[in-house]
Amino acid sequence: MANVLIIGAGGVGQVVAHKCAQVEEVFENITLASRTKSKCDKIAAMLPRKIDTAEVDADNVPELVKLIEKVKPDMVINVALPYQDLHIMDACLETGVHYLDTANYEPPEEAKFEYKWQWAYQEKFKKAGLMALLGSGFDPGVTSVFTAYAKKHHFDRIHTLDILDCNAGDHGLPFATNFNPEINIREITANGRYWENGQWVTTEPMEEKRVFNFPEGIGDKDIYLLYHEELESLSKHFPEIERARFWMTFGESYLKHLEVLQNIGMTGIEPVEFQGQEIIPIQFLKAMLPDPASLGPLTKGKTCIGNIIRGSKDGEEKIYYVYNTCDHQDCYKEVQSQAISYTTGVPAMIGAKMMMEGKWMKPGVWNMEQMDPDPFMDDLNKYGLPWKETWLDKPFQ
């Protein structure tokens, strides 16, 4: 029976709180903390059982330490901003508790995500006898486990990996992002990057485009090549992979709005002076856009996220597709959130469950694909993200 502290009360934090509350046999005590306690209280009021709430500034390590010492959790589930990962890891080390997040660290002053900052904590966590599990969302997270599962059960060697992330949902608004607008826009406007033949290849933003026919009635969608953090860890932990890429769907209206915002400087991360004070354009834009947590009742349609893997088994080349589809309205009925938050929050709960049950527990800093995929894959089916697998006739080009 575990005592967990969840930090972050956005759309994902809401899902994590709901799903942990559903698994009472593992998560006996739950505390939800955020900079704005009223958000935590609102989420707590939705739940079928009582949880505690607290106020904390995740940028303030002493404040985090004080809260952790008060709550005395077995682990912290970090679903705050990626900028705050290192602060929360520091607080966990100081207080002797395990750590989990869903996205790797990003420096606030640079649109760049990289695992090097968190991987540098390996010896600290190992020496302390603590575990830090990185990227326990969907992508990264489930997509990483999909890769490990495919290698364990279907391939002797993986040659190419393509991760395809489709959101075919429609919220009816002119422009909105499905998760934190600042993180979302920084990710999309950065250069594309993929792994090929032992090195990184860089592309212009949205330069590479394909059309893919998604299953479950979704059909043909435009997909664009982006850089995504799991490519870094997967290419490291599966060095046999000759090429690894990440693709995401975007509609024409979304891209046109984004182009206009870029052209007028609203996606910038450098401070500008306005009426005697400095503001960061993208943070101002974030304040003007709809809160992703408000999109739940508006969004209809499905998501489909999965991996296409080309590899060989017993000398025979095969092409494998493993994926999950998730319905926005079904998610909203269950946890009052849309599917983007749901597909991140459910794996965060499952990752924490794996740790607290001792199925995934070893000191150090680890990525998802370094763990045994089987119990996690079983729990995806049990807790709302059932997956399907099939063999394809031709490779994804």
Side-chain angles (χ1 to χ4, degrees):
M1 302 287 270
N3 177 14
V4 294
L5 170 60
I6 304 165
I7 298 178
V12 177
Q14 179 170 314
V15 176
V16 176
H18 271 272
K19 300 305 285 191
C20 285
Q22 289 175 11
V23 190
E24 193 167 1
E25 66 274 18
V26 175
F27 303 105
E28 182 179 14
N29 297 302
I30 302 166
T31 302
L32 178 63
S34 168
R35 191 189 300 267
T36 308
K37 186 175 180 293
S38 60
K39 289 185 176 181
C40 302
D41 293 335
K42 183 179 178 182
I43 293 169
M46 301 177 184
L47 302 180
R49 65 183 175 101
K50 182 183 180 300
I51 69 167
D52 296 321
T53 62
E55 180 179 326
V56 71
D57 179 358
D59 289 316
N60 187 319
V61 175
E63 197 172 311
L64 286 163
V65 168
K66 185 177 179 182
L67 176 63
I68 293 171
E69 288 177 339
K70 178 183 177 183
V71 174
K72 294 181 172 56
D74 298 296
M75 71 176 296
V76 168
I77 301 174
N78 168 20
V79 284
L81 293 173
Y83 315 140
Q84 298 163 329
D85 288 358
L86 301 187
H87 296 139
I88 299 173
M89 291 179 81
D90 286 335
C92 286
L93 282 169
E94 188 169 337
T95 54
V97 303
H98 303 294
Y99 170 89
L100 175 150
D101 66 33
T102 62
N104 73 0
Y105 175 72
E106 291 185 44
E109 70 283 352
E110 186 179 7
K112 181 179 184 179
F113 36 65
E114 218 176 324
Y115 276 116
K116 67 178 182 182
W117 292 284
Q118 291 180 281
W119 282 343
Y121 279 67
Q122 171 68 255
E123 289 306 313
K124 292 180 183 178
F125 270 81
K126 196 171 182 179
K127 187 176 179 181
L130 300 173
M131 180 174 179
L133 184 62
L134 307 183
S136 190
F138 205 107
D139 43 347
V142 175
T143 53
S144 310
V145 176
F146 279 170
T147 307
Y149 182 84
K151 177 64 187 293
K152 180 176 179 179
H153 294 282
H154 298 303
F155 295 104
D156 297 323
R157 183 181 179 90
I158 293 175
H159 302 306
T160 64
L161 166 67
D162 284 281
I163 298 170
L164 280 62
D165 183 326
C166 169
N167 177 20
D170 182 10
H171 45 57
L173 300 176
F175 185 79
T177 63
N178 292 295
F179 59 95
N180 183 285
E182 185 176 355
I183 303 301
N184 182 251
I185 291 171
R186 280 167 59 123
E187 182 179 296
I188 293 164
T189 55
N191 285 336
R193 197 158 64 118
Y194 63 95
W195 180 257
E196 188 167 39
N197 297 324
Q199 62 183 3
W200 291 105
V201 180
T202 301
T203 67
E204 293 296 317
M206 305 298 180
E207 179 183 357
E208 292 287 332
K209 174 187 172 183
R210 304 284 190 276
V211 176
F212 185 75
N213 185 262
F214 286 91
E216 310 288 324
I218 294 172
D220 285 348
K221 296 291 179 183
D222 292 339
I223 56 174
Y224 296 83
L225 187 144
L226 304 178
Y227 175 68
H228 226 242
E229 62 217 66
E230 66 262 47
L231 297 182
E232 181 184 16
S233 68
L234 288 168
S235 61
K236 176 182 178 179
H237 297 132
F238 296 92
E240 74 219 45
I241 294 177
E242 298 159 15
R243 188 188 68 207
R245 302 179 296 188
F246 182 94
W247 306 84
M248 187 174 282
T249 59
F250 297 99
E252 288 186 15
S253 175
Y254 182 95
L255 292 177
K256 180 55 67 176
H257 277 83
L258 187 60
E259 180 185 1
V260 172
L261 291 168
Q262 281 184 278
N263 288 342
I264 62 175
M266 286 304 297
T267 63
I269 64 173
E270 295 297 326
V272 298
E273 189 170 317
F274 176 72
Q275 294 186 347
Q277 58 182 329
E278 284 192 339
I279 64 168
I280 296 174
I282 196 169
Q283 292 182 354
F284 177 77
L285 175 61
K286 174 185 173 181
M288 297 298 294
L289 291 175
D291 181 350
S294 71
L295 301 178
L298 303 176
T299 309
K300 296 178 173 63
K302 295 178 181 179
T303 63
C304 180
I305 313 173
N307 297 8
I308 297 178
I309 298 170
R310 180 176 63 84
S312 55
K313 178 74 170 179
D314 299 327
E316 181 184 353
E317 187 168 289
K318 298 181 177 183
I319 304 156
Y320 173 72
Y321 184 29
V322 55
Y323 63 90
N324 160 266
T325 56
C326 203
D327 185 278
H328 284 284
Q329 288 295 292
D330 289 347
C331 296
Y332 187 73
K333 287 174 188 174
E334 183 188 348
V335 297
Q336 288 77 60
S337 287
Q338 34 82 355
I340 304 300
S341 296
Y342 191 88
T343 54
T344 304
V346 174
M349 180 280 286
I350 296 174
K353 179 175 176 286
M354 294 292 101
M355 292 171 67
M356 292 295 93
E357 290 178 329
K359 293 175 182 175
W360 287 4
M361 179 52 70
K362 57 180 178 177
V365 176
W366 309 103
N367 292 95
M368 299 285 283
E369 66 270 15
Q370 294 176 277
M371 303 291 111
D372 178 10
D374 292 356
F376 189 94
M377 293 288 279
D378 288 343
D379 274 1
L380 287 174
N381 287 326
K382 291 177 186 174
Y383 296 106
L385 293 177
W387 48 275
K388 295 183 179 180
E389 57 185 349
T390 188
W391 298 96
L392 302 182
D393 295 328
K394 56 184 180 179
F396 178 76
Q397 299 295 332

